[in-house]
Amino acid sequence: MSDDHVYLTLAEGHEDDARWAYGTGFEDPLHGVDTTVPQGIDAGELAALCVALADDALVSAQRLAEWITRAPELEEEVALANIGLDLLGQARLLYSRAGQADGTGRDEDAYAYFRDAADFRNVRLAEAPNGDFAFSIVRLLLLSSWRLAHFERLASHPDPVLAAIATKGVKELAYHRQYAAEWTVRLGDGTEESHRRTRKALEQVAPYLGELFTAYDVRDEVVAVLRQVTQAAGLPMPVYRPLPGSGRDGQHTEHLAPLLAELQGVARAHPEATW
Amino acid sequence: MTEQLQEHFDATISRDQRIEPRDWMPDGYRRTLIRQIAQHAHSEIIGMQPEGEWITKAPSLRRKAILFAKVQDEAGHGLYLYSAAETLGTDRAELTNRLIEGRQKYSSIFNYPTVSFADVGVIGWFVDGAAICNQVPLCRSSYGPYARAMVRICKEESFHQRQGYELLMTMMRGTEAQREMVQDAVNRWWWPSLMMFGPPDDASPNSAQSMAWKIKRHSNDELRQRFVDMTVPQAEKLGVTLPDPELRWNAERGHHDFGTPDWDELMRVIKGDGPCNDQRMQRRRSAHEEGAWVREAATAHAAKQAARAEKGAAA
């Protein structure tokens, strides 16, 4: 049979099996970067910053993963997975940097799988349940605009590793924001039902906004994006309502613990295992 | 006229050249292709479910990323395949309806449950492996758009197979509990995987015509044999036992002999009585129904945009 050679290549022995799984086309953005924490940087603060940013990304990726096989269209399956994968990639790099900076040498999985909800530092908007597509899109618009504005600043952070992670992340986040903005406009402008749902989503995210702006001083940029998008969508700006406490201090809603139970269950059931 | 067209078509097929969307083709060829490509597309989409369940539970971030990317690839494969089917004059929405209404099938393998994380590895190894055996010959299918979609899909499937096998290798080097999980998953997936090649040749009604049209290039039994021969040495290297007491090398044939799958089980699963048929269809249907307002919004927005652009141009 003339396609025998194709089979041979597919089924050949894989002596160097560690090679396959990593080659998903990702480059190592930290390749060649010196990972020692430069003098003059508070390593503890750097680690805390990396963990908080990683937690936002991991919890968001977990919520995006819940959309898989439930999205309204195949293109959305692909796009939401893409965004989830980008955020997961950011989380992995940031956890690794945190482990280097805090001197514990913990790896990415130690942070993701072996801390409890009270030790997570993500903002509460990230952990809110997915709701309908409108809520997930409005949340993505807010989180990506906020993270992008902050990453643009972090790109010139004195820690070269964090700066490199942020530089890579800026390109990804610009796409996430674009995707969310386009959908917000479609939904706001589309039908009566989509307009009503998106309007409601904007009301639902309002209590979580304060936390974003307390964490990082990027309020003007985010508000400018929101104003532009809501205007194009024919939607009102969200009215800002404060919610006491902050995920950045480990105060979470009731939704984080079940999310983590699902994320961590298998890993914790087999603490001695290697995967 | 039709006679001449038929002659031209037959000559193209016999020269091993490709039929392209604008070419004349017999109705039966078109219908068979639509059915086969649609079933393949549906299988990719339904096939996201058994593994997709584990993205949120994957026990390391690296495995989570690999699995997330794999399931995303499957959605991408579904997209190319629906596009290939659209070149034959039927649109994706119609094919999705046929799936949801149960008028078109998907691969029976996806009606089995994934009960542990080892299943993710075994699906990569067996199910993607079987898919590769089935699909590599389709890269030479007589219908151009299908053959070209297959080239890209096969490359990605072979990557998924290696990733699955690599996960199992890692688990086999881990704890006793992990090795037991792998063997258990192998025991559950082996026979359903052999059934992926379809019924035996003497009970496969559509095969002969599809082979003549070069839509299909090898018989079900030939492909099944190939899969067994390919998998046995991989199982040895991994250190697992394939659950078939009749499995042994036959030097005379130059192939492995193996037991007979339970064809009644295959028929039951195809007819809808597999362990997860209802669950898979229910998920696909609810995603489609719950997403209806989103798709309607996108259509309405596009129409409004077009109307605004027209008005702007007229003004």
Side-chain angles (χ1 to χ4, degrees):
Chain A
M1 290 184 239
S2 62
D3 34 54
D4 273 350
H5 65 283
V6 191
Y7 280 98
L8 292 176
T9 15
L10 294 177
E12 71 198 357
H14 307 301
E15 296 307 325
D16 52 342
D17 56 35
R19 181 175 53 93
W20 315 332
Y22 235 83
T24 39
F26 300 122
E27 297 162 38
D28 177 5
L30 298 185
H31 181 74
V33 177
D34 181 3
T35 56
T36 49
V37 178
Q39 287 204 328
I41 294 181
D42 183 321
E45 271 177 31
L46 174 64
L49 173 60
C50 289
V51 167
L53 290 169
D55 287 347
D56 287 334
L58 177 62
V59 170
S60 299
Q62 187 78 355
R63 287 295 185 216
L64 288 162
E66 292 172 12
W67 270 107
I68 299 308
T69 73
R70 294 177 177 88
E73 192 53 286
L74 293 181
E75 284 80 354
E76 275 41 73
E77 297 275 357
V78 174
L80 295 171
N82 220 335
I83 296 169
L85 274 165
D86 285 343
L87 291 170
L88 185 55
Q90 291 178 12
R92 295 177 65 190
L93 293 169
L94 288 161
Y95 285 137
S96 300
R97 186 53 178 157
Q100 292 157 358
D102 71 11
T104 58
R106 276 182 285 178
D107 67 6
E108 55 183 41
D109 290 337
Y111 287 97
Y113 292 92
F114 296 96
R115 284 180 308 144
D116 293 330
D119 299 324
F120 271 72
R121 291 291 177 269
N122 59 283
V123 292
R124 286 170 293 180
L125 182 57
E127 75 205 33
N130 279 341
D132 63 5
F133 189 69
F135 180 81
S136 284
I137 286 293
V138 166
R139 181 216 337 240
L140 182 63
L141 177 66
L142 278 167
L143 286 179
S144 58
S145 306
W146 171 68
R147 194 170 175 87
L148 175 58
H150 190 220
F151 268 44
E152 279 170 348
R153 295 178 190 189
L154 291 177
S156 49
H157 194 277
D159 176 39
V161 177
L162 179 56
I165 296 169
T167 303
K168 177 175 185 279
V170 161
K171 294 178 205 143
E172 296 168 346
L173 292 161
Y175 161 72
H176 306 174
R177 187 181 69 177
Q178 181 70 22
Y179 176 81
E182 283 171 6
W183 266 111
T184 306
V185 172
R186 270 183 214 121
L187 296 178
D189 182 53
T191 63
E192 233 170 84
E193 180 178 10
S194 68
H195 182 87
R196 177 179 56 73
R197 285 176 182 261
T198 314
R199 204 180 178 114
K200 189 172 157 217
L202 283 164
E203 286 164 22
Q204 286 168 331
V205 295
Y208 300 108
L209 287 175
E211 197 174 335
L212 303 187
F213 302 141
T214 317
Y216 309 119
D217 183 22
V218 292
R219 184 179 182 142
D220 292 348
E221 282 118 303
V222 177
V223 167
V225 171
L226 266 185
R227 186 162 290 134
Q228 195 192 342
V229 175
T230 50
Q231 201 169 9
L235 289 162
M237 280 290 278
V239 183
Y240 185 58
R241 279 187 291 124
L243 185 70
S246 169
R248 282 287 189 263
D249 301 324
Q251 290 161 299
H252 292 285
T253 64
E254 65 195 24
H255 304 296
L256 182 62
L259 177 146
L260 292 178
E262 182 167 338
L263 189 147
Q264 298 172 334
V266 180
R268 288 190 176 201
H270 301 273
E272 304 297 315
T274 42
W275 304 97
Chain B
M1 183 63 185
T2 310
E3 247 168 68
Q4 274 178 345
L5 290 167
Q6 178 78 46
E7 269 171 37
H8 182 72
F9 172 86
D10 292 341
T12 306
I13 297 277
S14 69
R15 282 198 306 269
D16 257 340
Q17 285 177 338
R18 297 260 164 89
I19 305 295
E20 294 298 336
R22 287 162 195 272
D23 295 342
W24 182 90
M25 61 189 88
D27 288 344
Y29 178 87
R30 186 185 298 274
R31 268 198 313 275
T32 303
L33 268 170
I34 290 174
R35 195 196 57 190
Q36 182 175 334
I37 299 173
Q39 283 187 9
H40 190 166
H42 300 331
S43 301
E44 296 282 357
I45 300 310
I46 298 288
M48 293 166 69
Q49 291 182 31
E51 289 177 287
E53 287 302 302
W54 289 89
I55 300 173
T56 54
K57 302 171 196 156
S60 77
L61 295 185
R62 175 167 165 268
R63 292 295 170 199
K64 199 187 213 28
I66 290 171
L67 184 57
F68 213 158
K70 179 184 175 184
V71 174
Q72 183 192 32
D73 283 347
E74 287 163 358
H77 295 173
L79 278 172
Y80 326 139
L81 287 163
Y82 284 123
S83 302
E86 286 184 331
T87 65
L88 292 159
T90 161
D91 71 359
R92 198 207 306 178
E94 166 59 19
L95 295 175
T96 301
N97 283 335
R98 287 188 207 170
L99 169 68
I100 284 170
E101 289 161 12
R103 289 187 285 138
Q104 276 181 340
K105 304 283 186 202
Y106 55 89
S107 177
S108 57
I109 192 80
F110 300 118
N111 291 316
Y112 290 87
T114 43
V115 303
S116 84
F117 196 68
D119 289 39
V120 168
V122 172
I123 288 177
W125 178 32
F126 285 171
V127 176
D128 292 308
I132 292 164
C133 288
N134 268 330
Q135 292 167 11
V136 166
L138 298 177
C139 298
R140 298 189 299 119
S141 165
S142 60
Y143 188 58
Y146 190 33
R148 287 187 289 272
M150 258 6 277
V151 172
R152 183 164 173 189
I153 291 174
C154 282
K155 282 185 191 159
E156 292 181 354
E157 298 282 11
S158 77
F159 192 65
H160 298 160
Q161 193 203 15
R162 291 173 185 207
Q163 289 174 330
Y165 191 71
E166 191 261 348
L167 167 61
L168 299 176
M169 281 292 225
T170 306
M171 289 183 71
M172 290 301 283
R173 286 194 294 260
T175 64
E176 191 52 38
Q178 286 182 292
R179 280 188 285 280
E180 282 168 17
M181 280 162 82
V182 174
Q183 183 63 56
D184 172 62
V186 165
N187 294 347
R188 284 181 290 107
W189 288 94
W190 174 248
W191 291 108
S193 300
L194 290 188
M195 294 177 199
M196 282 178 71
F197 298 93
D201 293 347
D202 51 21
S204 180
N206 301 321
S207 286
Q209 179 62 71
S210 288
M211 301 261 288
W213 275 330
K214 297 184 184 170
I215 292 174
K216 212 174 143 158
R217 314 284 315 210
H218 305 294
S219 80
N220 295 354
D221 287 333
E222 276 175 334
L223 292 167
R224 192 170 5 252
Q225 179 72 61
R226 229 171 216 218
F227 173 72
V228 172
D229 290 340
M230 180 177 100
T231 307
V232 168
Q234 293 171 350
E236 277 164 21
K237 187 172 168 197
L238 189 59
V240 295
T241 309
L242 298 172
D244 178 359
E246 293 174 51
L247 183 67
R248 64 180 60 83
W249 176 249
N250 180 329
E252 213 170 293
R253 291 201 307 124
H255 290 294
H256 293 85
D257 291 338
F258 56 99
T260 308
D262 179 352
W263 298 123
D264 292 341
E265 177 181 319
L266 176 64
M267 287 306 135
R268 281 197 303 278
V269 178
I270 288 176
K271 291 205 169 87
D273 289 329
C276 301
N277 296 56
D278 291 345
Q279 183 185 329
R280 303 290 183 239
M281 286 298 282
Q282 180 54 42
R283 169 70 63 81
R284 184 70 195 95
R285 201 178 292 125
S286 69
H288 188 71
E289 286 166 4
E290 283 162 27
W293 70 268
V294 178
R295 296 189 300 274
E296 282 157 19
T299 311
H301 169 68
K304 286 185 188 178
Q305 285 286 80
R308 283 190 284 254
E310 203 169 304
K311 210 172 161 191

